[in-house]
């Protein structure tokens, strides 16, 4: 089965509302990263967060290792937040580390 | 800011034809990656490289070859393109491997349609 599961699959907000995106993983966590994919397609790294809580502007990432989950909180959403949010789990392999991505949460913020 | 440039931005190929996707980074990063993204799937790793003239298989390498002629350049080659290879392809680079504190920098992607 899929090692990284994201929820919800999609989310529609009115501008100003908050959002909580979830990422659950079935394997042991080495590190977790969150990415934002613009509607045009390019990806931008938001957080590297193996544990605990990190803040960046209106974004907060919280990773709870024991519960094998990570969340991304977006406060006071703006239309420019629209896009896809991807989480990625770092996995150790025989030929090095790699990231295993979730399918993503598609966020649409309406004006 | 790190820069990863992919070319072409989009391409239409015929089944059985050869396709080469190019990636160039100006970050002086050791690691480079090729991912594909399909609807309903997350990004999946095809090939990666941590040094020039050497490449490693990722999770889904079948049907693809990779070439790293220099630190800056990393190509993905489809010798015999197939319909199932229609997808968006992303190149990325990082200073080290996918480990703690190593951010990945992505290109804008190449939309490949195989007809």
């Amino acid at each position: 089965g899929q090692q990284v599961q994201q929820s919800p699959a999609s989310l529609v907000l009115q501008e100003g509302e908050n959002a909580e995106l979830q990422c659950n993983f079935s394997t042991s966590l080495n590190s977790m990263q969150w990415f934002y994919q613009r509607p045009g397609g390019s990806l931008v790294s938001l957080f590297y967060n193996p544990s605990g809580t990190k803040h960046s502007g209106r974004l907060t990432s919280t990773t709870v290792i024991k519960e094998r989950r990570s969340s991304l909180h977006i406060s006071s959403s703006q239309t420019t937040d629209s896009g896809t949010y991807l989480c990625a789990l770092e996995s150790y392999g025989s030929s090095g580390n790699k990231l295993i991505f979730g399918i993503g949460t598609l966020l649409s913020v309406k004006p | 800011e790190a820069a990863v440039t992919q070319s072409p931005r989009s391409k239409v190929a015929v089944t059985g034809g050869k396709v080469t996707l190019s990636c160039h980074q100006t970050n002086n990063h050791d690691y480079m990656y090729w991912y594909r993204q399909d609807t309903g799937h997350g990004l999946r790793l095809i090939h990666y490289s941590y040094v020039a003239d050497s490449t490693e298989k990722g999770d889904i390498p079948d049907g693809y070859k990779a070439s790293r002629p220099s630190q800056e350049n990393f190509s993905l080659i489809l010798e015999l393109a197939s319909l199932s290879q229609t997808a968006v392809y992303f190149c990325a680079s990082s200073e080290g491997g996918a480990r703690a504190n190593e951010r990945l920098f992505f290109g804008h992607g190449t939309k490949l349609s195989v007809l």
Side-chain angles (χ1 to χ4, degrees), chain B:
Chain B
E1 182 69 18
V4 179
T5 306
Q6 293 182 232
S7 62
R9 292 294 295 270
S10 66
K11 183 172 181 63
V12 178
V14 295
T15 304
K18 182 177 181 178
V19 177
T20 300
L21 307 183
S22 299
C23 181
H24 179 81
Q25 54 108 350
T26 58
N27 315 320
N28 200 33
H29 285 168
D30 288 329
Y31 281 74
M32 295 187 74
Y33 311 83
W34 277 106
Y35 289 89
R36 67 176 278 174
Q37 186 176 38
D38 302 271
T39 303
H41 289 87
L43 276 74
R44 292 181 291 173
L45 182 63
I46 306 171
H47 286 286
Y48 68 100
S49 168
Y50 55 83
V51 67
D53 295 322
S54 177
T55 64
E56 303 290 333
K57 293 181 179 179
D59 296 321
I60 52 166
D62 293 345
Y64 302 94
K65 292 172 61 178
S67 173
R68 183 91 180 270
S70 64
Q71 186 190 41
E72 298 81 15
N73 296 294
F74 191 37
S75 297
L76 185 68
I77 302 151
L78 290 67
E79 294 281 3
L80 296 169
S82 66
L83 294 173
S84 63
Q85 293 177 313
T86 293
V88 179
Y89 291 85
F90 287 95
C91 176
S93 75
S94 68
E95 185 170 346
R99 59 182 66 250
N101 291 323
E102 295 293 352
R103 290 180 61 196
L104 263 66
F105 295 87
F106 282 87
H108 282 80
T110 295
K111 185 176 182 180
L112 175 65
S113 298
V114 182
L115 306 178

Side-chain angles (χ1 to χ4, degrees), chain A residues 29-82:
Chain A
L29 172 68
N30 299 311
S31 76
M32 174 64 70
Q33 297 192 32
W34 282 94
F35 295 85
Y36 167 67
Q37 185 170 21
R38 298 186 177 101
S42 62
L43 287 88
V44 176
S45 176
L46 296 175
F47 287 104
Y48 158 76
N49 186 10
S51 66
T53 298
K54 291 194 173 184
H55 302 277
S56 177
R58 294 181 293 105
L59 304 181
T60 300
S61 171
T62 300
T63 298
V64 183
I65 296 174
K66 289 184 178 179
E67 298 179 12
R68 295 189 174 182
R69 63 174 178 85
S70 182
S71 64
L72 179 67
H73 183 83
I74 305 172
S75 62
S76 304
S77 63
Q78 301 175 0
T79 56
T80 52
D81 294 332
S82 296

